[in-house]
Amino acid sequence: MRIAIVGAGLGGLTLARVLHLHGLDAVVYEREESRTARGQGGMLDLHPDTGQRALHEAGLEAGFRALARREGQDMKLLDHTGTLLVRHDTPEDAPMERPEIDRTDLRDLLLDSLPGPAEGFPEGIVEWGREFTHATPLAGDGPGGPGGPDGPGGPDGHGGHLLHFADGSTVECDLLVGADGARSRVRPLLTDAEPRHTGVNSVDCGRIPDADRTRPDLAATVGRGNYWGIGDSQTVAAQRNGDGSIHVGISLRTPEDWFDTCGLTFEDPDRARAGLRNLLEAHGWAPPFTTLVEACEGPVVPRPIQALPIGLTWAVTPGVTLLGDAAHLMPPVGEGANLAMLDGAELALALAASPGDPGAALRGYETAMFERSETAARESEAVHTTLLSPTGAQDMAAFFQREAEHA
């Protein structure tokens, strides 16, 4: 079976790795030119029942634990005035329940686990610089064409597609997996659903490099893990990364067109950060937060927060499926990467269990994926709504207090 995976993110690479362990090799097509072409973002915490479970199936638990940061589970929650509401310091002997790991390190761990050119693959399992544009069904070999009883789209559950790339090249596959994120180009083969704006816009303010040396005051403020400030429909989040830098971001409940109307010049990072500092000051944010924003370096990136409809499903379609954000984009509160990796692992296991019946494999995988993603999407929406509400600080403090009481 010729398996094509579009997108070399965490979900697509997990799928490729677990398939490889079970003797089912795939090709991953990635539009970026190399693994270092674009920054992968900051840290993420892997949950035991999703992300860590996927790494177990991928045989990469030991590598993950060598890279993960137990101390990254530290957390400080404050209101916008700088009043500390909740603090969690992780003991040195604490279990690795949700340890933080740099996204780049995790992606490299997955990439390095896949066969390269020296192992029988001309370009390696991942083919870089391959921008997928669209796919068309292959004509069937049987009398009904793609829907005929003997063709790839017939009742035997097989399907086939011709993949088209931006450079004019094409590739045939039996199974196409869209692991290509929020703006998936594979998704239209299954559904006309599109992401919708959540009413929240986010700004990546950049990083403070080598914070212990360059800004020891801010390094002490943030600590070893996550530092959250919550105001009236606004949040400021700072996070210590594995390389010693501090990554800072802002989220605001604003109209969808806010980036066009706010007057900030994102092409000039220093001016944009100065404008963001002024905005926070106008809303009464305390100096620790405004100083964190102004101390950052690097690009300032506007990010509208979008989500797919909760409970999105589609009819099983021979020869094509989705995983991760392509299937269930939801607000970013810590579930997305974990679910994408579990999707990849479970799809691979389903295909390995039914190598002669990919239709059954897709039915089983999608049924379970739809159920867990709907539950996670509802929970993510609730958390996101709470964070960006007028009483977000008090509500989140109460949430963590309840969690501590039930621990």
Side-chain angles (χ1 to χ4, degrees):
M1 180 165 51
R2 300 166 298 179
I3 302 173
I5 303 168
V6 177
L10 299 177
L13 294 175
T14 301
L15 170 59
R17 166 64 179 177
V18 180
L19 283 172
H20 179 68
L21 289 182
H22 289 270
L24 297 172
D25 285 315
V27 178
V28 182
Y29 298 100
E30 171 55 53
R31 66 179 179 179
E32 293 173 4
E33 294 297 328
S34 71
R35 69 168 71 189
T36 60
R38 179 178 63 87
Q40 298 301 306
M43 307 290 288
L44 59 87
D45 60 315
L46 290 192
H47 306 172
D49 55 345
T50 49
Q52 291 188 49
R53 179 179 157 199
L55 286 176
H56 170 75
E57 298 295 346
L60 297 174
E61 285 179 299
F64 162 67
R65 293 186 178 276
L67 295 167
R69 298 175 58 245
R70 176 184 283 105
E71 68 275 14
Q73 299 173 100
D74 286 6
M75 188 269 291
K76 298 177 185 178
L77 175 68
L78 307 93
D79 67 17
H80 73 290
T81 69
T83 300
L84 182 65
L85 303 176
V86 177
R87 177 168 181 162
H88 173 72
D89 295 320
T90 309
E92 294 304 318
D93 59 350
M96 301 274 273
E97 292 181 353
R98 291 190 174 189
E100 299 276 351
I101 184 170
D102 189 292
R103 286 176 179 266
T104 299
D105 289 343
L106 181 57
R107 191 188 194 210
D108 284 344
L109 177 67
L110 288 162
L111 283 168
D112 292 341
S113 73
L114 298 174
E119 298 169 86
F121 293 82
E123 299 184 54
I125 277 185
V126 180
E127 294 191 9
W128 301 96
R130 299 278 272 160
E131 182 180 352
F132 170 81
T133 60
H134 66 286
T136 52
L138 289 170
D141 298 325
D150 300 319
D156 60 358
H158 289 74
H161 287 84
L162 182 67
L163 312 188
H164 299 260
F165 296 90
D167 61 5
S169 63
T170 58
V171 172
E172 292 185 5
C173 70
D174 301 306
L175 174 61
L176 169 61
V177 182
D180 50 341
R183 298 176 181 83
S184 173
R185 295 177 179 177
V186 179
R187 189 190 300 125
L189 293 170
L190 296 170
T191 173
D192 59 3
E194 295 182 356
R196 297 175 295 195
H197 194 258
T198 62
V200 174
N201 284 309
S202 178
V203 182
D204 183 335
C205 300
R207 296 172 183 260
I208 304 170
D210 194 6
D212 287 318
R213 182 181 62 83
T214 62
R215 290 301 302 263
D217 55 330
L218 297 180
T221 295
V222 172
R224 306 183 302 175
N226 291 283
Y227 182 84
W228 289 359
I230 304 180
D232 183 352
S233 304
Q234 299 173 341
T235 69
V236 177
Q239 182 185 59
R240 182 65 74 97
N241 288 347
D243 62 0
S245 67
I246 295 174
H247 188 196
V248 182
I250 297 174
S251 294
L252 314 97
R253 187 166 292 283
T254 57
E256 184 173 359
D257 64 351
W258 184 78
F259 289 129
D260 298 322
T261 62
C262 65
L264 297 176
T265 307
F266 293 102
E267 295 78 9
D268 185 334
D270 290 337
R271 285 183 61 189
R273 279 187 280 265
L276 291 167
R277 177 206 63 203
N278 293 338
L279 183 152
L280 293 176
E281 288 178 345
H283 285 83
W285 283 81
F289 302 106
T290 57
T291 304
L292 278 167
V293 170
E294 196 166 30
C296 287
E297 300 178 7
V300 174
V301 183
R303 302 186 191 279
I305 304 302
Q306 298 180 320
L308 283 165
I310 294 176
L312 174 65
T313 64
W314 54 82
V316 175
T317 302
V320 61
T321 192
L322 305 171
L323 63 78
D325 285 351
H328 43 69
L329 179 68
M330 59 190 71
V333 296
E335 296 292 343
N338 282 278
L339 288 176
M341 294 175 68
L342 183 59
D343 288 349
E346 291 215 333
L347 175 56
L349 293 173
L351 291 167
S354 302
D357 191 355
L362 292 190
R363 282 191 295 274
Y365 157 71
E366 289 179 348
T367 298
M369 183 266 289
F370 291 151
E371 181 177 352
R372 68 169 169 265
S373 64
E374 179 176 358
T375 299
R378 293 193 186 284
E379 293 173 352
S380 296
E381 182 183 55
V383 172
H384 202 237
T385 299
T386 299
L387 278 170
L388 276 300
S389 73
T391 59
Q394 292 72 31
D395 293 341
M396 290 304 297
F399 168 80
F400 284 115
Q401 180 63 37
R402 291 193 298 271
E403 290 287 298
E405 291 172 355
H406 289 93

